[in-house]
């Protein structure tokens, strides 16, 4: 797991990964963070993560492209975990 500081400007959270099997995002900040499954994170749209909220990419909800984020206010910390096929096979 890594932590990414999300300011009020678009930030790349994960690069495209054709081997992605799982990813999790947790907003550890006090303000809303918007996730975008794509390159165009902007306030007021995308996946809304309130303080403490999370979002998962998994086998039932796959996505292999770039993930970006933006903070609605201030700078917020986003915890990010990504696992690929090899990671899951090795445990």
């Amino acid at each position: 797991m890594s932590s990414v500081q999300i300011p009020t400007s678009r930030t790349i959270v994960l690069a495209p990964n054709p081997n992605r099997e799982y990813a999790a995002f947790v907003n550890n900040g006090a303000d809303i963070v918007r996730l975008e499954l794509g390159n165009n994170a902007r306030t007021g749209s995308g996946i809304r993560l309130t303080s403490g909220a999370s979002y998962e990419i998994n086998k039932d909800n796959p996505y292999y492209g770039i993930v970006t984020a933006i903070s609605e206010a201030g700078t917020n910390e986003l915890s990010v975990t990504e696992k690929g096929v090899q990671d899951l096979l090795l445990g």
Side-chain angles (χ1 to χ4, degrees), residues 4-28:
V4 180
Q5 296 300 311
I6 307 297
T8 56
S9 57
R10 181 187 66 87
T11 303
I12 296 172
V13 176
L14 287 179
N17 182 352
N19 296 313
R20 182 181 300 136
E21 292 292 321
Y22 177 82
F25 310 88
V26 180
N27 180 3
N28 296 318

Side-chain angles (χ1 to χ4, degrees), residues 19-73:
N19 296 313
R20 182 181 300 136
E21 292 292 321
Y22 177 82
F25 310 88
V26 180
N27 180 3
N28 296 318
D31 297 304
I32 295 168
V33 169
R34 299 283 183 159
L35 277 183
E36 179 69 33
L37 302 182
N39 199 30
N40 296 316
R42 58 191 180 280
T43 57
S45 69
I47 300 161
R48 184 176 188 260
L49 296 180
T50 57
S51 180
S54 63
Y55 180 79
E56 288 187 355
I57 294 170
N58 55 43
K59 66 178 180 154
D60 296 323
N61 183 37
Y63 180 73
Y64 307 101
I66 190 171
V67 179
T68 55
I70 191 168
S71 177
E72 293 273 332

